[in-house]
Amino acid sequence: MGVLAMRTPPLDVLDWGCGSAEYRPLIERLGHRYVGLDSEGAAADILADVHALPFEDGAFDHIITNAVLEHVANPFLAVCELARVMKPGAVFSGSVAFMEPHHYRSRFHLTADAVMDVLTYAGLRVQAIWPSETWLVFDSLARMHGPISGPSRQLFRLAGALERVIRQRHLHPRELRNGRWLRRKSAEEYADELLVVTGQVDFLASR
């Protein structure tokens, strides 16, 4: 949403897999025109199959999505359809599950490399892909629906908090004996570490 907040209104914005349409009030307050699309649910403006969108070519300036791509039957076809309804220069921003547990018939939990493949296959220009810092695999296990006991969930919460401390940009616990454990990590080192423990991959692409 931060990316959309920096763009000049009014824009035609598609919330792809909108669910309860929780972003509608914010997007409309920003001065944009909101369209919520989903396969089911009363909150959506349009109910449709994401693999065959009922819009003309080049209909939208910006498309947002939050943890939807892992649920579609064919992510390559679905993102190709998104690219079709994007105007030249339009932006596609959002997130996809990676190391989250299986949930709501999820199918494709994509690595960062897989997100790159899906986006570029559709002809989109990838601006950025990054692992979520605030949603590690431990957080997903602690908070998402599933047969995990209360005590185990509490342990996962503690593990997530500990990993966030250990993975700080200026800590290298494995180099403690070498006296280099306070060396500041490069952006690449930090991202590589997060990619191993993140529950979600975020991305930004344009047409």
Side-chain angles (χ1 to χ4, degrees), residues 39 81 86 100 139 141:
S39 59
E81 262 296 271
M86 294 170 66
E100 290 181 354
D139 304 311
L141 290 169

Side-chain angles (χ1 to χ4, degrees), residues 89-202:
V91 172
F92 179 34
S93 60
S95 64
V96 60
F98 174 35
M99 292 184 68
E100 290 181 354
H102 174 269
H103 58 283
Y104 306 118
R105 302 187 300 277
S106 58
R107 296 175 173 89
F108 297 95
H109 293 222
L110 304 180
T111 67
D113 289 332
V115 174
M116 175 73 78
D117 290 342
V118 169
L119 295 174
T120 56
Y121 181 86
L124 299 179
R125 294 188 296 274
V126 177
Q127 308 296 327
I129 294 177
W130 64 97
S132 173
E133 301 179 60
T134 58
W135 187 248
L136 304 183
V137 58
F138 309 105
D139 304 311
S140 67
L141 290 169
R143 294 173 54 185
M144 294 182 69
H145 176 75
I148 297 177
S149 67
S152 294
R153 289 179 185 276
Q154 186 60 33
L155 288 174
F156 283 128
R157 289 188 186 94
L158 293 173
L162 178 61
E163 283 298 322
R164 263 183 282 277
V165 172
I166 291 175
R167 302 294 159 203
Q168 291 183 62
R169 289 174 172 81
H170 61 278
L171 292 181
H172 289 263
R174 292 190 181 92
E175 297 193 29
L176 183 61
R177 293 183 179 179
N178 300 327
R180 303 175 68 240
W181 67 285
L182 286 177
R183 177 178 61 85
R184 186 169 181 83
K185 297 172 184 173
S186 67
E188 291 76 16
E189 287 176 311
Y190 184 64
D192 286 346
E193 288 191 0
L194 279 179
L195 281 171
V196 179
V197 294
T198 191
Q200 172 182 291
V201 175
D202 300 327

Side-chain angles (χ1 to χ4, degrees), residues 45-113:
D45 298 300
I46 296 175
L47 299 179
D49 180 355
V50 296
H51 304 87
L53 297 175
F55 305 115
E56 296 180 355
D57 295 357
F60 294 98
D61 301 288
H62 198 118
I63 298 176
I64 63 169
T65 187
N66 181 28
V68 173
L69 194 54
E70 67 267 24
H71 297 282
V72 306
N74 187 327
F76 289 94
L77 176 59
V79 176
C80 282
E81 262 296 271
L82 281 181
R84 179 185 67 79
V85 303
M86 294 170 66
K87 297 177 183 178
V91 172
F92 179 34
S93 60
S95 64
V96 60
F98 174 35
M99 292 184 68
E100 290 181 354
H102 174 269
H103 58 283
Y104 306 118
R105 302 187 300 277
S106 58
R107 296 175 173 89
F108 297 95
H109 293 222
L110 304 180
T111 67
D113 289 332

